[in-house]
Structure formats: structure tokens, C-alpha cells
Amino acid sequence: MSDFEHSPVMRDEIVEALAPTPPGVVLDATLGGGGHSEAILEARGDVRVLGLDRDQDALDFAARRLAPYGDRVMTHRCRFDQLREAIDANDLDGLSAALFDLGVSSPQLDRPERGFSYRNDGPLDMRMDADAPWSADDVVNGYGEADLARIIQRYGDERFARRIAAAIVAARPIESTTGLAEVITSAIPAPARRTGGHPAKRTFQAIRIEVNGELDALPEALDQAIEALVPGGRLAVLSYHSGEDRIAKERIRAAETGGCECPPELPCVCGAVKTVRVVRGVPKRPSKFEQDHNRRAKSARLRVAEKLDPTVEVER
């Protein structure tokens, strides 16, 4: 079995959410192992997939996995905020759907040499693009204590961020993922270690997000995807962190309102143009069965929006 075999989170829910979209090209902005794309291609004989990923290993595996679908599959190596370039490079006019499955993939977590896992010993890497010059080692052993505390709190929602940052600085140089996990664990009070999963989980997440600039790239990527959708096309965003979900909510809301700031009880006079409607107001959660059997699904949230037809007037 390949390192990239894994179960895509909310597979059936994604297929259902994208079922009403028109024929055309579905963008999988985070291709990973290709599980979501495979499910979409199997369910819809009238669509093709354009899969993006920064990880060449993921692209190589996905290409093999999706080979039975022939020319219905296109892949492109880039960060997802470069999706407009990928669309142009493949001479596409628009998208019938766009899927973002955010965060790190299970295969990356399961390969110790990639440095994402706090459970398996590996180098302090965490780069989604193995050719990128910046790694977790630069953050862990190079950032000042205040900056470390800031990213751990901001990207990890970690209440002991300051204690963890101080412990990391005091323990330098830290040379491995398990070494880092031990330092983090020792900095957290014993009663807090017994709840909420592995004590290092939030800090590792924060460092990974910082290394890969994930939240910095997301707003632009979502805006580009919404712009590229054809009328009736849908955007689906799977997030696993409050920061990711907040950005998805904000960008969808901006498109839903067109940026209108007029009082809601009065007619709009600012000329704002709505471009999407929200398909589901409250994010959808995975089933209890999936949460119990796929640890990556526990924190997942799915938001879906549909592109409006600009020729049809929409009531405010």
C-alpha cells in the first residue's frame, strides 16, 4: 500500500454537496492522495478534475491512482493561491466546482521523515513543498520567544503558549520531532495533559501553519476560486482549525454580500453585487461514526457556497 493511501474526510458529504453543479471542471485545490477526486470522478461522468498540490510525492501518487480516468484528470504543482495560473495553464474557461481540504494530509503525518508528526521521530521539517527553503527547524530554533508564543497561540489556540515558547527557547537546540514533543509536553501542567489529546498537537499544528504560510494564502485562494466558478458552480471548504474556518466564513460572507455595508432594513444603494449564496448556514460536521474511526475528521467543518448567475437579479 502506498504511503498516500488514506480515507478522505467527509467523502460522501463532499460528493453530495457537489452533485448539483453543472458539467465541467472540478478544482481539487488540495489534491493530496486523490481520494476526494476519485470519489467525484466516480460519481460524475460529466466532469474532469484539475488537482493542485505543493507536494510532488502527492501529485505523483494521485496521478497513478487516478490514471484509470485518463484525460479527465489534470494535475498542477503549485500553492492553492496560484490556482488562477493553473486554470490558465490548462486553458480552462471556468470551474464547475472547487474543493479545499485544508490542513495536513494523513500520509504526510504518517511519514516520519516529513517531520509533521509528534508521535514518530523525524527531522524538524513540516514543509508541504519539499523544495521550500523554510522549515520547522527555522521556527523552532530561530524564532524569538515572543514570536513563538504568538504563533502557538494564534495558530494553535494553545492557552499555554507562553510557557511552551519559553521551554522551547530554553531547550535549544532541538533536533527532532520527538524531542520537540517532549519539550512541549513538559511545559504543560500535568492536569492539562490528561485531556484534549496529545499535549503537543496544537503547537505542532501552529508551527506547520507558520512554516507553510497556510492562512496567509487562504483568503486569496478562496477569492480566486469563487471568481472562477461558473453560475451554479459550488465552493466546498473543509477546515480543521478555527482560523481556517473563520477565513472561509469571512470570504464566503464577503461574496454573499458583495461587500454591502448598507443598513439591512434599507434598500442597497452602494452598488454591491452578490456573487454567491450560502448553501448551508451552519457548517456540516462529520458523522459520529466517521469521527470515531478517522481521527483527522474529529475537528472537520464543511462550508458550501454556490455561484450566482449575474444575469439574474437577486433580492437583498
Side-chain angles (χ1 to χ4, degrees), residues 24-74:
V25 175
V26 175
L27 174 77
D28 188 340
T30 47
L31 183 60
H36 284 118
S37 285
E38 183 179 57
I40 292 165
L41 289 163
E42 185 67 26
R44 294 282 303 273
D46 58 352
V47 301
R48 294 186 292 156
V49 164
L50 170 60
L52 313 184
D53 210 292
R54 285 187 275 181
D55 189 333
Q56 188 60 52
D57 289 344
L59 289 173
D60 292 342
F61 172 74
R64 294 191 296 272
R65 179 176 187 168
L66 302 176
Y69 299 96
D71 60 6
R72 294 177 62 199
V73 178
M74 302 161 281

Side-chain angles (χ1 to χ4, degrees), residues 170-192:
R172 287 172 175 169
I174 300 173
E175 298 179 350
S176 70
T177 53
T178 52
L180 176 60
E182 289 172 2
V183 171
I184 295 167
T185 300
S186 68
I188 296 175

Side-chain angles (χ1 to χ4, degrees), residues 10 80 100-103 154-155 157 205 208-209 214-215 218-219 222 235-254 278 280-286 299-304:
M10 299 183 74
F80 52 43
F100 288 75
D101 180 9
L102 304 173
R154 180 183 179 189
Y155 298 147
D157 296 326
Q205 172 183 275
R208 185 206 81 219
I209 290 173
E214 295 171 42
L215 298 195
L218 185 55
L222 294 176
L235 169 71
V237 184
L238 263 176
S239 60
Y240 304 86
H241 170 256
S242 61
E244 295 168 344
D245 186 56
R246 182 166 56 251
I247 290 172
K249 180 180 179 180
E250 288 173 352
R251 300 323 305 157
I252 290 173
R253 177 62 177 165
V278 174
R280 181 185 175 90
V282 178
K284 189 174 182 62
R285 295 290 314 280
S299 58
R301 303 287 190 279
L302 174 62
R303 293 185 182 272
V304 181

